[in-house]
Amino acid sequence: MSKISVNLKVWRQAGPKEKGEFKTYTVDTDTDTSFLETLDILNEQLVNNHEEPIVFDHDCREGICGMCSLYINGHPHGPATGATTCQLYMRRFKDGETITVEPWRSAAFPVIKDLMVDRNAFDKIQQAGGYVSFNCGGAQDANNLPISKINADLAMDAATCIGCGACVAACKNGSAMLFVSAKVSQFALLPQGQIERARRARAMVKKMDELGFGNCTNTGACAAECPKCISLSNIARLNREFIKAKLKD
């Protein structure tokens, strides 16, 4: 552990309709401190100086809730690959470095205050079809419903999506295709998801478009910045699911 001092260039915005600006703060921390803990230190410093603390989202701080949605030095969640902001440690930065911290930039994720954005759009997409609504009955006996190892692994990989919105923040079009494709894929690959398969794809894509997310142009920035490394192959699967659903219509 070693002490470092960094300059945090933080986006400050009093409300959704207020004009925002960057403000720079100097904070002393150490290399084994997480980025969110460093923000805690800065907020304590601001409170002691009778200044307004910085508003930012956080919850579990274990990399599984997706709340810590910060754009750090041009990367969603920061420069660490396959990690959320709460898993980012200050050893990634140099003593005296200036670190730029912003909220997600997307029309579908309006700023609430400072670094906090409204990500209810993802909840609305999920509510449109990201579930199984019929009674599946009790747990089946082992091997009673044979599922290939490949499909089981692909479904589990898709289900690791935590809905943080990094894919939207990374995309130049503000597309939510990686998120939607992960949620569609985790059900489309398993027997329990078959009955509502077509309706699910139609409803979730329709809701995504209604909420103002951009179109996917396959640049791959979403998958490159995803903290759970969700594969682009899910987007191809979503496209196939959607086309099949429309053909059924």
Side-chain angles (χ1 to χ4, degrees):
M1 181 188 300
S2 59
K3 296 289 184 180
I4 61 170
S5 179
V6 293
N7 302 309
L8 295 181
K9 186 180 178 182
V10 181
W11 181 260
R12 304 302 307 264
Q13 186 171 339
K17 297 181 180 180
E18 302 296 326
K19 185 178 179 180
E21 63 178 342
F22 283 105
K23 290 189 177 181
T24 302
Y25 308 93
T26 300
V27 58
D28 296 325
T29 183
D30 59 68
T31 53
D32 287 342
T33 300
S34 75
F35 195 86
L36 291 189
E37 288 171 334
T38 297
L39 286 179
D40 290 336
I41 294 171
L42 174 57
N43 273 345
E44 186 175 347
Q45 179 179 308
L46 291 174
V47 170
N48 288 338
N49 291 333
H50 306 290
E51 297 180 56
E52 185 78 15
I54 298 165
V55 175
F56 63 96
D57 255 332
H58 64 92
D59 192 2
C60 72
R61 300 204 177 194
E62 295 178 349
I64 58 176
C65 73
M67 295 293 287
C68 53
S69 46
L70 300 181
Y71 209 81
I72 303 168
N73 281 353
H75 296 276
H77 291 298
T81 302
T84 53
T85 305
C86 59
Q87 296 172 306
L88 177 67
Y89 287 84
M90 299 308 295
R91 52 181 169 267
R92 285 269 178 177
F93 306 99
K94 298 178 181 178
D95 186 37
E97 183 176 349
T98 296
I99 305 168
T100 303
V101 190
E102 306 171 70
W104 286 167
R105 300 294 191 184
S106 170
F109 293 156
V111 173
I112 297 174
K113 187 173 182 179
D114 294 340
L115 303 175
M116 179 186 287
V117 300
D118 183 353
R119 293 182 299 136
N120 281 332
F122 269 10
D123 294 332
K124 292 176 182 177
I125 294 174
Q126 189 80 346
Q127 290 162 6
Y131 51 83
V132 173
S133 65
F134 64 93
N135 188 353
C136 296
Q140 299 285 332
D141 292 336
N143 298 321
N144 192 38
L145 288 175
I147 303 170
S148 72
K149 178 69 163 58
I150 293 175
N151 282 351
D153 286 348
L154 288 173
M156 183 61 72
D157 289 344
T160 60
C161 170
I162 56 177
C164 65
C167 52
V168 178
C171 179
K172 65 179 182 179
N173 305 319
S175 173
M177 282 289 281
L178 193 66
F179 166 75
V180 176
S181 67
K183 298 307 177 184
V184 167
S185 291
Q186 73 182 70
F187 293 113
L189 290 161
L190 298 176
Q192 293 87 345
Q194 300 309 305
I195 294 177
E196 298 169 302
R197 190 170 180 172
R199 183 198 63 78
R200 178 181 301 111
R202 284 195 304 267
M204 294 184 77
V205 170
K206 180 182 178 182
K207 181 58 67 174
M208 174 182 67
D209 291 340
E210 287 176 358
L211 293 169
F213 290 100
N215 295 321
C216 174
T217 51
N218 293 308
T219 60
C222 54
E225 298 286 4
C226 176
K228 297 303 175 182
C229 302
I230 301 297
S231 172
L232 276 177
S233 63
N234 288 298
I235 294 180
R237 183 177 297 105
L238 171 59
N239 288 332
R240 292 194 297 271
E241 293 291 320
F242 184 72
I243 290 171
K244 289 177 183 177
K246 296 302 285 185
L247 287 175
K248 283 187 177 181
D249 289 344

